[in-house]
Coordinates of all heavy atoms in Angstrom, one line a residue:
T1 N -7.5 -3.5 -8.5 CA -8.1 -2.9 -9.8 C -9.3 -3.8 -10.2 O -9.1 -5.0 -10.4 CB -7.0 -2.8 -10.8 OG1 -5.9 -2.1 -10.3 CG2 -7.6 -2.1 -12.1
G2 N -10.4 -3.2 -10.4 CA -11.6 -3.9 -10.8 C -12.5 -4.4 -9.7 O -13.6 -4.9 -9.9
Q3 N -12.0 -4.2 -8.4 CA -12.8 -4.6 -7.3 C -13.7 -3.4 -7.0 O -13.5 -2.3 -7.3 CB -11.9 -4.8 -6.1 CG -10.9 -6.0 -6.2 CD -11.6 -7.3 -6.2 OE1 -12.6 -7.5 -5.5 NE2 -11.1 -8.2 -7.0
S4 N -14.8 -3.8 -6.3 CA -15.8 -2.8 -5.8 C -15.2 -1.9 -4.8 O -14.3 -2.3 -4.0 CB -17.0 -3.5 -5.2 OG -17.9 -2.6 -4.7
V5 N -15.5 -0.6 -4.8 CA -15.0 0.4 -3.9 C -15.4 0.0 -2.5 O -14.5 0.2 -1.6 CB -15.5 1.8 -4.3 CG1 -15.1 2.8 -3.2 CG2 -15.0 2.2 -5.6
S6 N -16.5 -0.6 -2.3 CA -16.9 -1.0 -0.9 C -16.0 -2.1 -0.4 O -15.7 -2.1 0.8 CB -18.4 -1.4 -0.9 OG -18.6 -2.4 -1.8
I7 N -15.7 -3.0 -1.2 CA -14.8 -4.1 -0.8 C -13.4 -3.6 -0.5 O -12.8 -3.9 0.5 CB -14.7 -5.2 -1.9 CG1 -16.1 -5.9 -2.0 CG2 -13.6 -6.2 -1.6 CD1 -16.1 -6.8 -3.2
V8 N -12.9 -2.7 -1.3 CA -11.6 -2.1 -1.1 C -11.6 -1.3 0.2 O -10.6 -1.3 0.9 CB -11.1 -1.3 -2.3 CG1 -9.8 -0.6 -2.1 CG2 -11.0 -2.2 -3.5
D9 N -12.7 -0.6 0.4 CA -12.8 0.2 1.6 C -12.7 -0.7 2.9 O -12.2 -0.3 3.9 CB -14.1 1.0 1.6 CG -14.1 2.1 2.7 OD1 -13.1 2.6 3.0 OD2 -15.2 2.4 3.2
E10 N -13.3 -1.9 2.8 CA -13.2 -2.8 4.0 C -11.8 -3.3 4.2 O -11.5 -3.6 5.4 CB -14.2 -3.9 3.7 CG -15.7 -3.5 3.8 CD -16.6 -4.7 3.4 OE1 -16.1 -5.8 3.2 OE2 -17.8 -4.4 3.3
I11 N -11.0 -3.4 3.2 CA -9.7 -4.0 3.3 C -8.6 -3.0 3.3 O -7.4 -3.3 3.0 CB -9.4 -5.1 2.3 CG1 -9.5 -4.5 0.9 CG2 -10.4 -6.3 2.4 CD1 -8.9 -5.5 -0.2
D12 N -8.9 -1.7 3.7 CA -7.9 -0.7 3.6 C -6.7 -0.9 4.5 O -5.6 -0.7 4.2 CB -8.5 0.7 3.9 CG -9.1 0.8 5.2 OD1 -9.4 -0.2 5.9 OD2 -9.4 1.9 5.7
Q13 N -7.0 -1.5 5.7 CA -5.8 -1.8 6.6 C -4.9 -2.9 6.0 O -3.7 -2.9 6.2 CB -6.4 -2.2 8.0 CG -7.0 -1.1 8.8 CD -6.0 0.1 9.0 OE1 -4.8 -0.2 9.3 NE2 -6.4 1.3 8.9
L14 N -5.6 -3.8 5.3 CA -4.8 -4.9 4.7 C -3.9 -4.3 3.6 O -2.7 -4.7 3.4 CB -5.7 -5.9 4.1 CG -5.0 -7.1 3.5 CD1 -4.3 -7.9 4.5 CD2 -6.1 -8.0 2.8
L15 N -4.4 -3.3 2.8 CA -3.6 -2.6 1.8 C -2.4 -1.9 2.4 O -1.3 -2.0 2.0 CB -4.4 -1.7 1.0 CG -5.4 -2.3 0.1 CD1 -6.3 -1.2 -0.6 CD2 -4.8 -3.0 -1.0
I16 N -2.7 -1.2 3.5 CA -1.7 -0.4 4.2 C -0.6 -1.4 4.7 O 0.6 -1.2 4.6 CB -2.3 0.4 5.4 CG1 -3.1 1.5 4.8 CG2 -1.2 1.0 6.2 CD1 -3.9 2.3 5.8
S17 N -1.0 -2.5 5.3 CA 0.0 -3.5 5.8 C 0.8 -4.1 4.7 O 2.0 -4.4 4.9 CB -0.8 -4.6 6.6 OG -1.4 -4.1 7.7
A18 N 0.1 -4.4 3.6 CA 0.8 -5.0 2.4 C 1.9 -4.0 1.9 O 3.0 -4.5 1.5 CB -0.1 -5.3 1.3
I19 N 1.7 -2.7 1.9 CA 2.7 -1.8 1.4 C 3.8 -1.6 2.5 O 4.9 -1.6 2.1 CB 2.0 -0.4 1.1 CG1 1.0 -0.6 -0.1 CG2 3.0 0.6 0.8 CD1 0.2 0.6 -0.4
E20 N 3.4 -1.4 3.7 CA 4.4 -1.1 4.8 C 5.3 -2.3 5.2 O 6.4 -2.1 5.6 CB 3.7 -0.5 6.0 CG 3.1 0.8 5.8 CD 2.4 1.4 7.0 OE1 2.2 0.6 8.0 OE2 2.1 2.6 7.0
N21 N 4.8 -3.5 5.1 CA 5.5 -4.6 5.5 C 6.5 -5.2 4.5 O 7.1 -6.3 4.8 CB 4.6 -5.7 6.1 CG 3.9 -5.3 7.3 OD1 4.4 -4.4 8.1 ND2 2.7 -5.8 7.6
K22 N 6.6 -4.6 3.4 CA 7.5 -5.2 2.3 C 8.6 -4.2 2.1 O 8.4 -3.0 2.1 CB 6.7 -5.4 1.0 CG 7.5 -6.1 -0.1 CD 6.7 -6.4 -1.2 CE 7.6 -7.1 -2.3 NZ 6.9 -7.4 -3.5
E23 N 9.8 -4.8 1.8 CA 10.9 -4.0 1.4 C 11.1 -4.1 -0.1 O 11.0 -5.1 -0.7 CB 12.2 -4.5 2.1 CG 12.2 -4.3 3.6 CD 13.5 -4.8 4.2 OE1 14.3 -5.4 3.5 OE2 13.6 -4.6 5.4
Y24 N 11.3 -2.9 -0.7 CA 11.4 -2.8 -2.2 C 12.9 -2.6 -2.5 O 13.5 -1.6 -2.0 CB 10.5 -1.7 -2.7 CG 9.1 -1.9 -2.3 CD1 8.5 -1.4 -1.2 CD2 8.2 -2.7 -3.1 CE1 7.2 -1.6 -0.8 CE2 6.9 -2.8 -2.8 CZ 6.4 -2.3 -1.6 OH 5.1 -2.5 -1.3
T25 N 13.4 -3.4 -3.4 CA 14.9 -3.3 -3.7 C 15.0 -2.8 -5.1 O 14.5 -3.4 -6.1 CB 15.5 -4.7 -3.6 OG1 15.3 -5.2 -2.2 CG2 17.0 -4.6 -3.8
I26 N 15.9 -1.8 -5.3 CA 16.2 -1.2 -6.6 C 17.7 -0.9 -6.5 O 18.1 -0.1 -5.6 CB 15.4 0.0 -7.0 CG1 14.0 -0.4 -7.2 CG2 16.0 0.7 -8.2 CD1 13.1 0.7 -7.6
D27 N 18.5 -1.4 -7.4 CA 19.9 -1.1 -7.5 C 20.6 -1.3 -6.2 O 21.4 -0.5 -5.7 CB 20.1 0.4 -8.0 CG 19.6 0.7 -9.3 OD1 19.5 -0.3 -10.1 OD2 19.2 1.8 -9.6
D28 N 20.4 -2.5 -5.6 CA 21.0 -2.9 -4.3 C 20.7 -2.0 -3.2 O 21.4 -2.0 -2.1 CB 22.6 -3.0 -4.5 CG 22.9 -4.0 -5.5 OD1 22.2 -5.0 -5.7 OD2 24.0 -3.9 -6.2
L29 N 19.7 -1.1 -3.3 CA 19.2 -0.3 -2.2 C 17.8 -0.8 -1.8 O 17.0 -1.0 -2.7 CB 19.2 1.2 -2.5 CG 20.6 1.8 -2.6 CD1 20.4 3.3 -3.1 CD2 21.3 1.8 -1.3
R30 N 17.6 -0.9 -0.5 CA 16.3 -1.4 -0.1 C 15.5 -0.2 0.5 O 16.0 0.6 1.3 CB 16.4 -2.5 1.0 CG 17.0 -3.7 0.4 CD 17.2 -4.8 1.4 NE 17.9 -4.3 2.6 CZ 18.0 -4.9 3.7 NH1 17.4 -6.1 3.9 NH2 18.8 -4.5 4.7
Y31 N 14.2 -0.1 0.2 CA 13.4 1.0 0.6 C 12.2 0.4 1.3 O 11.7 -0.7 1.0 CB 12.9 1.8 -0.6 CG 14.0 2.5 -1.4 CD1 14.5 1.8 -2.5 CD2 14.5 3.7 -1.0 CE1 15.6 2.4 -3.2 CE2 15.6 4.3 -1.7 CZ 16.1 3.6 -2.8 OH 17.1 4.2 -3.5
Q32 N 11.7 1.1 2.3 CA 10.5 0.8 3.0 C 9.6 2.0 3.1 O 10.1 3.1 3.2 CB 10.8 0.3 4.4 CG 9.7 -0.5 5.0 CD 10.1 -1.3 6.3 OE1 11.2 -1.0 6.8 NE2 9.3 -2.2 6.7
F33 N 8.3 1.8 3.0 CA 7.3 2.9 2.9 C 6.4 2.9 4.1 O 6.1 1.9 4.7 CB 6.5 2.8 1.7 CG 7.2 2.9 0.4 CD1 7.5 1.9 -0.4 CD2 7.7 4.2 0.0 CE1 8.2 2.0 -1.6 CE2 8.4 4.3 -1.2 CZ 8.7 3.2 -1.9
T34 N 6.0 4.2 4.5 CA 5.0 4.4 5.5 C 3.8 5.1 4.7 O 4.0 6.1 4.1 CB 5.5 5.3 6.6 OG1 6.7 4.7 7.1 CG2 4.5 5.4 7.7
V35 N 2.6 4.6 4.9 CA 1.5 5.2 4.2 C 1.0 6.4 5.0 O 0.7 6.2 6.2 CB 0.3 4.1 4.1 CG1 -0.9 4.8 3.5 CG2 0.8 3.0 3.3
R36 N 1.0 7.5 4.4 CA 0.6 8.7 5.1 C -0.9 9.0 4.9 O -1.6 9.5 5.8 CB 1.4 10.0 4.6 CG 2.8 10.0 5.0 CD 2.8 10.2 6.5 NE 4.2 9.9 7.0 CZ 4.5 9.4 8.2 NH1 3.5 9.1 9.0 NH2 5.7 9.2 8.5
K37 N -1.4 8.7 3.7 CA -2.8 8.9 3.4 C -3.2 7.9 2.3 O -2.5 7.6 1.4 CB -3.0 10.3 2.9 CG -4.4 10.8 2.7 CD -4.5 12.2 2.3 CE -5.9 12.6 2.0 NZ -6.0 14.0 1.6
L38 N -4.5 7.4 2.5 CA -5.0 6.5 1.5 C -6.4 6.9 1.2 O -7.3 7.0 2.1 CB -5.0 5.1 2.1 CG -5.7 4.0 1.3 CD1 -4.8 3.7 0.0 CD2 -5.8 2.7 2.1
T39 N -6.7 7.3 0.0 CA -8.0 7.7 -0.5 C -8.6 6.7 -1.4 O -8.0 6.3 -2.4 CB -7.9 9.1 -1.2 OG1 -7.2 10.0 -0.4 CG2 -9.3 9.6 -1.5
I40 N -9.8 6.2 -1.1 CA -10.4 5.1 -1.9 C -11.6 5.7 -2.5 O -12.6 6.1 -1.9 CB -10.7 3.9 -1.0 CG1 -9.5 3.4 -0.3 CG2 -11.4 2.9 -1.8 CD1 -9.7 2.3 0.7
S41 N -11.6 5.6 -3.9 CA -12.8 5.9 -4.7 C -12.5 5.2 -6.0 O -11.8 4.2 -6.0 CB -12.9 7.4 -4.9 OG -11.8 8.0 -5.6
E42 N -13.0 5.7 -7.1 CA -12.7 5.1 -8.4 C -11.2 5.1 -8.6 O -10.6 4.3 -9.3 CB -13.4 5.7 -9.5 CG -14.9 5.4 -9.6 CD -15.6 6.0 -10.8 OE1 -14.9 6.2 -11.8 OE2 -16.8 6.3 -10.7
T43 N -10.5 6.2 -8.1 CA -9.1 6.3 -8.1 C -8.6 6.1 -6.7 O -8.9 6.9 -5.8 CB -8.7 7.7 -8.7 OG1 -9.2 7.9 -10.0 CG2 -7.2 7.8 -8.7

């Protein structure tokens, strides 16, 4: 947030890896995500 769109566009694989390689724990259940689509603009 606050980074230039061009910079974020260059590190899109890093964002995908950061999301996919982490396990998220809620209420003693662990979840893992696979990124299906990533759209980079102001949003």
Side-chain angles (χ1 to χ4, degrees):
T1 306
Q3 297 289 326
S4 173
V5 172
S6 59
I7 293 172
V8 175
D9 192 33
E10 292 174 5
I11 61 167
D12 61 343
Q13 289 300 321
L14 183 63
L15 288 175
I16 292 171
S17 297
I19 294 171
E20 289 182 347
N21 292 334
K22 184 173 180 186
E23 292 181 356
Y24 302 91
T25 305
I26 292 181
D27 298 334
D28 298 329
L29 289 174
R30 295 181 303 167
Y31 299 94
Q32 195 166 17
F33 294 106
T34 305
V35 177
R36 289 292 168 213
K37 187 176 178 184
L38 176 68
T39 305
I40 299 173
S41 62
E42 287 185 29
T43 302

